[in-house]
Amino acid sequence: MTEIDRADFGKDFCWGVATAAYQIEGAWDTDGKGPSVWDEFTHGRGPLGLPRIKDHATGDVATDSYHRYEEDIALVAAMGFGAYRFSISWPRVMPSGTGGVNAAGIDYYSRVVDACLAAGVEPWVTLYHWDLPAALERRGGWTNRDIVGWYSDYVTAVVGALGDRVRHWMVFNEPLSFTMLGYLLGAHAPGRFGPRAFCAAVHHVNLATAEGTRAARAASSVDTSVGTTQYLTPVLASGIGPLADVAERNADAFLNRVFLEPNLGLGYPWDDCGLLRGIKRFHRPGDDELATIDLDFLGVQYYTRLRAPWLPVPGLWTVPHFGRDRSCELTSLGWEVRPEGLGMVLDRVHTYGRYDRIVVTEGGASFDDRVVHGRVTDNRRISYFQRHLAELRSARDRGVPVDGYFCWSLLDNFEWTFGYRPRFGLVHVDYGTQKRTIKDSGRWFANLLGGPGDVVSTG
Ligand code: IFM
């Protein structure tokens, strides 16, 4: 067993849990909220009328956190965490995406922020976790360059309302995930397919990262810290020799560099990945400067490693995929548990020499958890966190400035196209009754962090 002692991480280390609006809130059309691309995607059908989501699940109710946020924040505090990362639903705040602000939407988030502060929990707010207003998708969504302005207006409205109390903002959650799955592969909302849409979306998200950060800083009335989060992954070429190197470089440019480097002022790695050359079509003179931004912190999200298949044509895009090395533990989603990969990605971003502060804003694992006699014994999740935290501690010892870890997730919740089957929470949710039960992993954190470890669920 890997020993983890809170003191090894320093007294300023940020211990948190994370969620996202569409995955937990429910109340999809309550109090003036507009529809998001995820509402439309889950309510609709895929090609040939096939369901898009396992078990036809939707986020209509999810974990009902729109109504149960006080109980959820009490759970965060009960497990001893000092920070809660949640996201704002753009269409709850601006139902049409632009123009009028929905006072009830802003009010809801204002109450969530106040409840955090009252519980002694620091709110870390993600401004975009994939639930684009459907009205904006009809205007082209992330493929329309105008979205850079729409997005920064939205950021100005939210930070203007909450920026007197919130000190940590993240402009995006995992741009790679929503542009690749939503605009290239058609697997996530809005279900668009093809390299052209993908390249346009990538470029506009990079511009919006910089513009959104500037807008958040300008609208905040307290000393604020603005960063963004990236899904990062070590890439392993399948095969050997020079062509395997090409495949690895190709996949690395696509998976890790395409969002980091333009914001660092390094431009796009399009020479290493054929697919990314399509971005040139949307790139205007001066865009490299517009996309460059000095972030206050980088959020690293790490789950597993990926494999890049060997393709015999240099420069051709390779489709990275999850490894399934059966000699290693797999989660219920079949993802390899590879703690050493966290150390690798932390070293990797540190090598740029440009991030003064790194925070692991997500990490976690899904397992088939069950409540037995009121208890969820999820020892594999405890071991997962112990091993990843040990990697993070070693990275700190090597001088990587990483000073926070957020568990994905506070609660079991809607896991996108997989519906409600994968359970990532430190807290189990019975979706029939909405009863919350802190799992043994949550109790392990309470023990580590000095939380009382219990709270009564209203069910
Ligand atoms: O549930 C997701 C989250 O929305 C983004 N990061 C990865 C998590 C697990 O797949």
Side-chain angles (χ1 to χ4, degrees):
M1 198 184 85
T2 317
E3 288 298 331
I4 297 295
D5 180 349
R6 180 178 192 167
D8 295 344
F9 295 79
K11 67 173 178 23
D12 294 329
F13 192 84
C14 176
W15 298 91
V17 280
T19 60
Y22 188 75
Q23 295 178 272
I24 65 158
E25 284 178 4
W28 75 280
D29 60 353
T30 303
D31 292 341
K33 177 181 168 291
S36 76
V37 289
W38 271 95
D39 293 315
E40 298 204 335
F41 192 73
T42 55
H43 293 167
R45 290 260 168 178
L48 306 172
L50 295 170
R52 286 166 161 151
I53 315 287
K54 268 243 175 344
D55 309 322
H56 305 279
T58 71
D60 292 3
V61 177
T63 62
D64 193 31
S65 294
Y66 186 74
H67 300 109
R68 295 169 191 262
Y69 65 92
E70 285 168 310
E71 179 182 357
D72 292 345
I73 292 164
L75 287 162
V76 177
M79 291 186 290
F81 290 100
Y84 177 38
R85 175 175 173 237
F86 60 90
S87 80
I88 307 275
S89 158
W90 184 345
R92 197 179 287 292
V93 168
M94 278 188 176
S96 317
T98 54
V101 168
N102 175 30
I106 284 282
D107 244 43
Y108 165 65
Y109 293 111
S110 189
R111 281 182 273 122
V112 172
V113 167
D114 287 344
C116 285
L117 296 173
V121 169
E122 190 68 24
W124 283 57
V125 182
T126 311
L127 287 152
Y128 186 84
H129 198 127
W130 311 356
D131 43 357
L132 183 73
L136 295 187
E137 180 56 26
R138 282 191 258 292
R139 295 162 79 181
W142 288 105
T143 68
N144 183 342
R145 191 177 170 112
D146 290 344
I147 199 167
V148 180
W150 303 334
Y151 179 69
S152 64
D153 290 347
Y154 154 72
V155 169
T156 301
V158 173
V159 180
L162 309 178
D164 55 339
R165 286 156 288 161
V166 174
R167 293 171 188 279
H168 295 92
W169 297 96
M170 286 141 287
V171 283
F172 281 100
N173 183 72
E174 296 180 8
L176 178 75
S177 307
F178 76 87
T179 54
M180 173 176 68
L181 296 168
Y183 286 86
L184 178 66
L185 302 176
H188 271 200
R192 292 171 74 174
F193 186 86
R196 195 186 166 97
F198 169 73
C199 287
V202 166
H203 188 48
H204 301 144
V205 171
N206 272 323
L207 295 174
T209 300
E211 212 40 48
T213 302
R214 291 180 200 112
R217 284 181 179 148
S220 181
S221 50
V222 291
D223 196 15
T224 193
S225 183
V226 187
T228 200
T229 79
Q230 303 290 354
Y231 185 105
L232 299 172
T233 171
V235 185
L236 192 85
S238 316
I240 47 169
L243 293 176
D245 290 347
V246 170
E248 193 172 319
R249 247 199 337 274
N250 215 329
D252 183 48
F254 173 73
L255 292 168
N256 294 319
R257 298 170 56 202
V258 65
F259 288 101
L260 288 175
E261 297 193 357
N263 292 152
L264 287 172
L266 302 173
Y268 283 99
W270 44 42
D271 290 340
D272 286 328
C273 176
L275 175 80
L276 301 181
R277 282 180 212 135
I279 295 173
K280 292 184 181 173
R281 193 182 298 141
F282 305 97
H283 186 276
R284 298 185 188 162
D287 278 2
D288 286 342
E289 291 70 32
L290 281 180
T292 302
I293 188 77
D294 202 3
L295 297 165
D296 296 316
F297 65 94
L298 176 72
V300 167
Q301 318 216 145
Y302 171 75
Y303 286 87
T304 190
R305 69 176 190 186
L306 293 175
R307 280 179 183 275
W310 183 97
L311 277 187
V313 186
L316 194 74
W317 183 53
T318 59
V319 185
H321 58 88
F322 290 113
R324 293 275 168 117
D325 178 347
R326 300 230 158 243
S327 65
C328 130
E329 185 183 12
L330 301 180
T331 70
S332 70
L333 279 170
W335 300 354
E336 293 178 359
V337 176
R338 293 275 176 196
E340 70 281 8
L342 177 59
M344 290 161 81
V345 297
L346 290 172
D347 286 342
R348 169 81 192 273
V349 293
H350 184 47
T351 309
Y352 284 110
R354 301 278 293 282
Y355 297 108
D356 298 337
R357 184 176 189 199
I358 300 167
V359 176
V360 177
T361 38
E362 275 184 34
S366 67
F367 293 111
D368 293 327
D369 304 315
R370 283 188 188 20
V371 184
V372 179
H373 304 306
R375 184 160 169 199
V376 181
T377 311
D378 58 338
N379 292 333
R380 285 184 298 173
R381 185 171 290 104
I382 296 174
S383 150
Y384 175 98
F385 284 121
Q386 287 172 328
R387 291 155 66 199
H388 284 73
L389 286 167
E391 280 294 333
L392 186 152
R393 182 176 55 197
S394 309
R396 279 170 68 87
D397 294 345
R398 291 193 295 276
V400 181
V402 50
D403 69 354
Y405 189 92
F406 284 76
C407 303
W408 185 268
S409 180
L410 164 62
L411 305 158
D412 295 337
N413 59 48
F414 177 79
E415 177 56 25
W416 309 111
T417 50
F418 299 105
Y420 291 95
R421 289 193 196 186
R423 292 184 176 271
F424 275 93
L426 298 181
V427 175
H428 180 278
V429 178
D430 175 329
Y431 295 115
T433 62
Q434 295 292 353
K435 182 176 164 53
R436 275 83 162 134
T437 304
I438 298 183
K439 301 179 190 176
D440 282 3
S441 55
R443 293 182 189 281
W444 180 81
F445 271 106
N447 193 36
L448 176 76
L449 303 176
D454 223 341
V455 68
V456 178
S457 172
T458 50

